[in-house]
């Protein structure tokens, strides 16, 4: 493809930093205490993007299937660590369900997107596989952080409601349904609202980038629509799998809600294989967990 | 139906109640009386198996309460806490949610039964179509009481069921419950109506660890 985008020289790019002078002046004048933070975050942004530019340049040149797959695994790992840290639900017991949820969602959506719709000759073609997967992972992570935070916070605040349903005959998953509902509502409302106004008050980044890069607007829009659909479904799948599979680690067998500290201290060894297996079976069969475990509440 | 034999209960590792003994027979109505923080809610949660007693024995329908038995015991009970929250939108969905549980499917009430029960609790049927956000705390609690009665469990445990209601409504609900001979009831309440009408009064302060 012929790239007819105007070149930006390093010199003119550095001149663009002059733009920061105005916000910095206002921050300083009003003693907001934001000057230092702003300088640090823009320095970080520059460094990180420069590194990513180098990496991606290298990865795109090599365009090796295994390196591309490896890169996606690194992205999943970073997204998982960010999710567990920002939700405060750390520890290996959380790393496994969150990264699996991301992996399953990515495999599903990528297969559909790159395989069935774009029908790429090389499925792992770096130019498609990496940016598309990256954008999906980033969005899944955002949704998942909001969902996990809402889920745990509501459960802590309204634990008596969980007990209310348990005391009136609910299984664990039945009693958790209102909490999963709340978490899904809180995490998807912003995305739904955004989707409704896209193109009107915001031109999405990828579309803008493609148009600047020389694509016809018609094609850029098709990509954008595909991406929005992919992001939406992958996010829901990530959130759903995560919420369904973390519950055995949040609530003890006798029905006590564990604190974030206790949860973080749980290791994979302590994580009951039986419970995890039950959750996965109930997920795959699409049935409620039957009361085979006498001690569960 | 409910037997306590020299029971000690702790709350977050601090002893709360000691040496509790009482017996509630089938069809009897009992009230837990005592100031806030004297352990009324903890007693109910212990009966439901959310806490295990530190000492002593508890029998619910002749079944000993111990780890592993909670689920069995909860099949006979219905409990309504003081504050209830729900993300469900319509009042009707909130009322019927407990009937969506597998073990309660067969109890799903028809429109007539729901209407009659709402009437006894002095709630209009039109409330069912309202958004939950638009009804008051007292109405929400009575909707939960309605579900609880429609579940037709042997033992009903209600935590401060009428604290948000006016005297007229309190009296009506209380006398309706007292006229149900099959129902075994344990409520916690400050209200004179419950205290006067009950067969058994359990004063939690007598067992409270200061």
């Amino acid at each position: 493809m012929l790239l007819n985008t105007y070149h930006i020289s390093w010199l003119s790019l550095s001149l663009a930093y002059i733009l920061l002078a105005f916000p910095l002046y206002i921050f300083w004048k009003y003693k907001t205490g934001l000057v230092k933070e702003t300088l640090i975050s823009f320095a970080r942004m520059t460094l990180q993007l420069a590194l990513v530019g180098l990496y991606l340049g290298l990865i795109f040149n090599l365009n090796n299937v295994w390196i591309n797959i490896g890169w996606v695994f690194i992205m999943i790992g970073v997204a998982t660590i960010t999710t567990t840290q920002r939700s405060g639900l750390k520890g290996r017991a959380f790393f496994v369900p969150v990264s699996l949820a991301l992996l399953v969602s990515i495999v599903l959506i990528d297969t559909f997107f790159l395989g069935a719709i774009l029908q790429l000759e090389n499925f792992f073609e770096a130019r498609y596989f990496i940016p598309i997967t990256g954008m999906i992972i980033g969005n899944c992570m955002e949704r998942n952080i909001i969902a996990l935070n809402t889920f745990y916070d509501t459960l802590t605040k309204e634990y008596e409601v969980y007990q209310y349903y348990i005391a009136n005959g609910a299984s664990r998953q039945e009693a958790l349904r209102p909490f999963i509902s709340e978490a899904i509502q809180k995490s998807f409302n912003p995305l739904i609202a955004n989707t409704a106004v896209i193109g009107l008050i915001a031109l999405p980044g990828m579309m803008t980038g493609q148009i600047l890069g020389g694509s016809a607007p018609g094609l850029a829009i098709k990509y954008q629509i595909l991406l929005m659909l992919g992001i939406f479904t992958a996010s829901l799948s990530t959130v759903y799998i995560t919420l369904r599979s973390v519950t055995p680690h949040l609530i003890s067998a006798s029905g006590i809600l564990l604190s974030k500290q206790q949860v973080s201290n749980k290791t994979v060894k302590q994580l009951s294989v039986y419970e995890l297996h039950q959750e996965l079976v109930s997920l795959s069969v699409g049935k409620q967990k039957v009361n085979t475990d006498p001690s569960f509440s | 139906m409910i037997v306590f034999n020299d029971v000690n209960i702790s709350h977050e590792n601090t002893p709360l109640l000691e040496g509790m003994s009482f017996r509630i027979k089938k069809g009897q109505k009992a009230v837990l009386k005592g100031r806030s923080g004297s352990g009324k809610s903890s007693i109910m949660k212990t009966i439901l198996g959310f806490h295990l007693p530190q000492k002593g024995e508890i029998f619910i329908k002749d079944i000993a309460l111990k780890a592993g038995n909670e689920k069995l015991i909860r099949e006979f009970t219905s409990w309504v806490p003081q504050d209830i929250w729900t993300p469900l939108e319509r009042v009707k969905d909130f009322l019927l949610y407990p009937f969506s549980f597998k073990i309660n499917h067969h109890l799903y009430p028809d429109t007539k039964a729901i209407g009659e029960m709402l009437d006894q609790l002095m709630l209009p049927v039109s409330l069912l179509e309202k958004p939950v956000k638009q009804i008051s705390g007292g109405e929400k609690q009575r909707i939960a009481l309605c579900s609880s009665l429609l579940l037709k469990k042997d033992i009903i445990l209600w935590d401060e069921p009428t604290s948000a209601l006016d005297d007229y409504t309190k009296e009506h609900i209380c006398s309706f419950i007292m006229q149900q001979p099959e129902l075994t009831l344990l409520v916690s309440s400050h209200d004179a109506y419950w205290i006067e009408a009950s067969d058994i009064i359990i004063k939690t302060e007598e067992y409270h660890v200061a």
Side-chain angles (χ1 to χ4, degrees):
Chain A
M1 195 197 324
L2 191 83
L3 296 181
N4 53 359
T5 319
Y6 280 93
H7 185 69
I8 304 175
S9 72
W10 288 107
L11 179 69
S12 43
L13 181 65
S14 49
L15 284 178
Y17 283 86
I18 293 173
L19 281 178
L20 276 183
F22 178 62
L24 284 175
Y25 171 70
I26 299 287
F27 289 168
W28 169 78
K29 189 180 167 192
Y30 284 88
K31 295 197 178 9
T32 55
L34 293 175
V35 174
K36 196 177 156 198
E37 269 181 60
T38 309
L39 286 172
I40 292 175
S41 55
F42 273 88
R44 275 190 61 166
M45 182 268 283
T46 309
L47 186 71
Q48 287 162 5
L49 285 183
L51 283 175
V52 168
L54 279 176
Y55 276 149
L56 287 184
L58 195 67
I59 287 174
F60 282 29
N61 277 334
L62 290 170
N63 200 14
N64 173 299
V65 172
W66 297 109
I67 293 180
N68 294 351
I69 294 176
W71 183 249
V72 166
F73 270 99
I74 291 175
M75 289 197 284
I76 291 179
V78 173
T80 306
I81 292 169
T82 312
T83 308
T84 53
Q85 279 180 345
R86 293 224 334 238
S87 62
L89 297 164
K90 296 176 202 161
R92 280 191 285 170
F94 271 84
F95 195 89
V96 178
V98 173
S99 53
L100 273 179
L102 278 168
L103 183 66
V104 169
S105 309
I106 289 303
V107 168
L108 280 175
I109 298 302
D110 271 0
T111 308
F112 186 73
F113 202 129
L114 305 173
I117 305 273
L118 291 183
Q119 301 183 347
L120 293 183
E121 227 168 273
N122 171 14
F123 187 93
F124 299 104
E125 172 77 40
R127 203 155 64 88
Y128 295 90
F129 180 59
I130 290 177
I132 288 173
T133 311
M135 285 177 82
I136 294 176
I137 292 178
N139 280 277
C140 289
M141 182 188 85
E142 292 284 323
R143 295 305 117 210
N144 217 11
I145 290 170
I146 303 177
L148 263 177
N149 272 330
T150 311
F151 186 65
Y152 189 82
D153 291 347
T154 322
L155 203 52
T156 314
K157 212 172 103 218
E158 308 292 350
Y159 196 61
E160 221 171 58
V161 174
Y162 171 78
Q163 292 181 317
Y164 164 63
Y165 288 129
I166 289 288
N168 288 300
S171 68
R172 170 155 52 187
Q173 285 299 341
E174 285 169 335
L176 284 174
R177 223 179 282 162
F179 297 92
I180 292 181
S181 161
E182 177 77 359
I184 289 177
Q185 284 178 35
K186 285 270 152 61
S187 79
F188 277 80
N189 262 336
L191 189 57
I192 294 168
N194 264 340
T195 307
V197 295
I198 211 142
L200 291 177
I201 58 166
L203 273 191
M206 185 188 78
M207 207 176 99
T208 315
Q210 264 187 310
I211 293 173
L212 284 175
S215 288
L219 184 64
I221 282 164
K222 283 184 195 159
Y223 268 92
Q224 187 60 39
I225 293 173
L226 269 179
L227 195 71
M228 304 273 297
L229 290 167
I231 284 174
F232 203 84
T233 306
S235 301
L236 186 80
S237 142
T238 307
V239 165
Y240 182 68
I241 298 174
T242 304
L243 292 183
R244 284 292 302 256
S245 51
V246 298
T247 45
H249 316 309
L250 290 177
I251 299 165
S252 76
S254 57
I256 307 289
L257 182 71
L258 302 178
S259 70
K260 285 189 177 180
Q261 189 59 42
Q262 288 169 309
V263 167
S264 305
N265 291 340
K266 253 187 159 188
T267 62
V268 178
K269 256 189 185 170
Q270 284 169 287
L271 177 173
S272 149
V273 177
Y274 172 79
E275 285 188 319
L276 197 63
H277 173 74
Q278 283 286 303
E279 293 297 327
L280 289 174
V281 167
S282 72
L283 257 179
S284 57
V285 187
K287 272 199 230 154
Q288 284 305 317
K289 192 159 138 182
V290 216
N291 42 346
T292 42
D293 178 359
S295 62
F296 117 168
S297 40
Chain B
M1 284 300 235
I2 305 176
V3 178
F4 269 54
N5 262 342
D6 198 18
V7 171
N8 290 6
I9 294 173
S10 295
H11 182 67
E12 286 165 1
N13 296 326
T14 315
L16 186 65
L17 296 154
E18 272 177 11
M20 283 200 91
S21 296
F22 61 82
R23 179 181 294 264
I24 304 168
K25 292 184 190 143
K26 188 174 164 62
Q28 279 190 322
K29 317 287 185 275
V31 63
L32 290 167
K33 184 177 173 262
R35 55 182 163 75
S36 313
S38 63
K40 302 192 294 290
S41 300
S42 295
I43 294 171
M44 292 200 181
K45 287 189 184 174
T46 305
I47 293 173
L48 292 161
F50 291 123
H51 310 301
L52 287 178
Q54 300 301 108
K55 191 188 142 227
E57 297 168 313
I58 297 174
F59 294 92
I60 310 295
K61 259 192 113 170
D62 295 330
I63 300 166
L65 179 77
K66 56 181 187 208
N69 263 354
E70 307 98 331
K71 241 185 120 70
L72 187 62
I73 282 167
R74 289 174 198 153
E75 283 181 24
F76 312 119
T77 59
S78 169
W79 169 62
V80 178
Q82 212 176 336
D83 288 311
I84 296 188
W85 159 92
T86 177
L88 295 170
E89 274 187 36
R90 267 190 331 155
V91 172
K92 193 176 184 178
D93 299 328
F94 173 53
L95 189 148
L96 291 174
Y97 189 60
F99 300 94
S100 71
F101 308 151
K102 215 174 190 175
I103 69 162
N104 296 336
H105 271 175
H106 64 288
L107 297 164
Y108 204 94
D110 57 27
T111 320
K112 190 168 161 266
I114 297 173
E116 283 171 4
M117 198 56 86
L118 286 173
D119 199 41
Q120 291 299 343
L121 296 166
M122 306 189 75
L123 291 168
V125 182
S126 61
L127 207 65
L128 293 178
E129 299 305 325
K130 279 198 179 171
V132 175
K133 284 189 183 112
Q134 280 178 23
I135 69 171
S136 70
E139 284 171 325
K140 216 190 301 178
Q141 202 182 8
R142 268 184 288 163
I143 292 290
L145 300 182
C146 185
S147 304
S148 172
L149 289 167
L150 289 168
L151 283 170
K152 299 195 187 332
K153 299 289 171 107
D154 296 325
I155 298 167
I156 278 188
L157 306 161
W158 285 353
D159 203 347
E160 300 281 1
T162 50
S163 55
L165 306 179
D166 61 74
D167 284 349
Y168 179 71
T169 316
K170 269 180 200 173
E171 195 179 356
H172 184 91
I173 293 176
C174 182
S175 69
F176 168 68
I177 296 299
M178 295 302 163
Q179 286 159 23
Q180 310 299 313
E182 287 300 302
L183 205 70
T184 308
L185 174 89
L186 179 63
V187 291
S188 75
S189 184
H190 300 287
D191 288 335
Y193 300 105
W194 293 106
I195 294 166
E196 279 165 22
S198 291
D199 304 304
I200 299 166
I201 300 169
I202 300 157
K203 292 179 184 151
T204 48
E205 271 152 35
E206 288 177 9
Y207 310 101
H208 190 68
V209 183

